Amino acid sequence: HAKLDTGVKSPAGCLDAVRAKLLNLQKPSRAFEVGRHHYDIGNNLYQCMLDKRMIYSCGYWETATTLNEAQEAKLDLVCRKLDLQPGMRLLDIGCGWGGTAEFAAERYQVQVVGITVSEQQAKYGKESCRGLPVDIRLQDYRDIEGTFDRILSIGMFEHVGYKNYRTFVHKVRSLLKNDGLFLLQTIGANRSAIKTDPWIERYIFPNSMLPSPKQICSAIEGIFVLEDWHSFGSDYDKTLMHWFRNFHEGWDSLKDDYGDRFYRMWTYYLLSCAGSFRARSNQLWQLVLSPIGVRGGYKALRYRETNPFNRQGKTI
């Protein structure tokens, strides 16, 4: 998902900043609020708007021409960056509707645990991943237990909050094997902040905020080795515009459930966020982190295999 941060200050905005400074707005007791407010508002909306796998994060458009292709290219790139091998145990923190877990289990023969704070996502994911070695759970990241070969988190770090970045990173490290890899995909801000845009906070994503490079680096310092930092925020502009077109063209099937006010709100959300990426005000990053450093060095990947079904295929 995407969020707009205009940086505009107002009396209400100043009060929000004080509140964010004094309180932990993303503490465990508030972890499920965004699930109820945003992700549980109706799977029919997201089925209309998103790709066939229901991936609600930035696609990768390097060689893609459709939304389905862009999301599959992103998922394949993530799996290859993690060097997934058959039989590995993978944790997906913020698994959404289970599309990433399903892709990894089917294409890379791994076992997946996926967690989400949305009841509707968990229900949908369990059904879509039926028959696969995938366990979808309604759970906060702070409550995860176990050990994993690989961990990924796509589009969830925006809900962690600056007071919890270090807690999140410590938790991931405690779950990851010493020779494991962690991939973090997040929207990012050019400057450090402690809250998000007031309109986004009220109407779209409560208790959310975008991390800066400084905040991310401070969180991982001394815990992880930074192996790769990949920036492709302009791809989110294109992704959001495809989401908006799908939403707009499918509105007749949604309007009785959501109403005109929702249409105006959702249109503003999608198009203003697209504009923020087009203006380079917001960024999209994929980081690959290792606990003790990859022996011999990490090979950074950017492009999709010529044939994604050929595991020996060369990159282009």
Side-chain angles (χ1 to χ4, degrees), residues 80 303-308 310-316:
R80 291 190 299 111
Y303 303 109
R304 185 176 183 173
E305 293 174 344
T306 303
N307 179 357
N310 176 8
R311 304 300 300 286
Q312 303 302 317
K314 297 180 180 180
T315 58
I316 57 173

Side-chain angles (χ1 to χ4, degrees), residues 73-140:
K74 189 266 299 295
L75 296 180
D76 190 65
L77 183 66
V78 165
C79 291
R80 291 190 299 111
K81 283 184 176 183
L82 287 171
D83 189 26
L84 292 185
Q85 301 297 326
M88 281 185 171
R89 196 160 186 251
L90 170 67
L91 173 63
D92 182 356
I93 302 177
C95 65
W97 288 271
T100 303
E102 181 182 23
F103 181 91
E106 287 181 340
R107 299 286 180 87
Y108 286 81
Q109 296 81 54
V110 294
Q111 303 173 34
V112 188
V113 173
I115 68 160
T116 174
V117 294
S118 163
E119 291 184 4
Q120 292 300 313
Q121 286 184 337
K123 182 179 179 180
Y124 186 98
K126 288 177 181 178
E127 183 62 31
S128 64
C129 293
R130 180 175 293 182
L132 294 171
V134 174
D135 179 12
I136 303 293
R137 305 173 183 173
L138 184 67
Q139 189 175 38
D140 180 59

Side-chain angles (χ1 to χ4, degrees), residues 32-184:
F32 293 85
E33 286 186 9
V34 70
R36 293 188 292 267
H37 184 91
H38 188 88
Y39 300 106
D40 288 345
I41 60 176
N43 286 343
N44 58 332
L45 167 66
Y46 295 107
Q47 285 173 313
C48 174
M49 186 176 82
L50 305 179
D51 65 299
K52 66 179 182 181
R53 294 183 184 275
M54 298 273 281
I55 304 299
Y56 196 19
S57 57
C58 182
Y60 193 55
W61 293 89
E62 187 68 34
T63 60
T65 58
T66 68
L67 183 60
N68 285 332
E69 290 176 355
Q71 293 296 7
E72 184 164 312
K74 189 266 299 295
L75 296 180
D76 190 65
L77 183 66
V78 165
C79 291
R80 291 190 299 111
K81 283 184 176 183
L82 287 171
D83 189 26
L84 292 185
Q85 301 297 326
M88 281 185 171
R89 196 160 186 251
L90 170 67
L91 173 63
D92 182 356
I93 302 177
C95 65
W97 288 271
T100 303
E102 181 182 23
F103 181 91
E106 287 181 340
R107 299 286 180 87
Y108 286 81
Q109 296 81 54
V110 294
Q111 303 173 34
V112 188
V113 173
I115 68 160
T116 174
V117 294
S118 163
E119 291 184 4
Q120 292 300 313
Q121 286 184 337
K123 182 179 179 180
Y124 186 98
K126 288 177 181 178
E127 183 62 31
S128 64
C129 293
R130 180 175 293 182
L132 294 171
V134 174
D135 179 12
I136 303 293
R137 305 173 183 173
L138 184 67
Q139 189 175 38
D140 180 59
Y141 70 89
R142 285 160 284 215
D143 297 326
I144 311 169
E145 296 180 354
T147 303
F148 298 87
D149 299 289
R150 301 287 190 267
I151 300 177
L152 64 85
S153 182
I154 299 175
M156 177 271 178
F157 198 63
E158 300 90 333
H159 300 305
V160 170
Y162 79 103
K163 289 191 174 183
N164 305 298
Y165 289 154
R166 192 76 170 174
T167 298
F168 178 89
V169 173
H170 270 297
K171 184 62 179 182
V172 171
R173 177 62 187 95
S174 72
L175 299 168
L176 186 62
K177 292 183 178 179
N178 285 340
D179 61 351
L181 292 172
F182 170 44
L183 184 141
L184 175 67

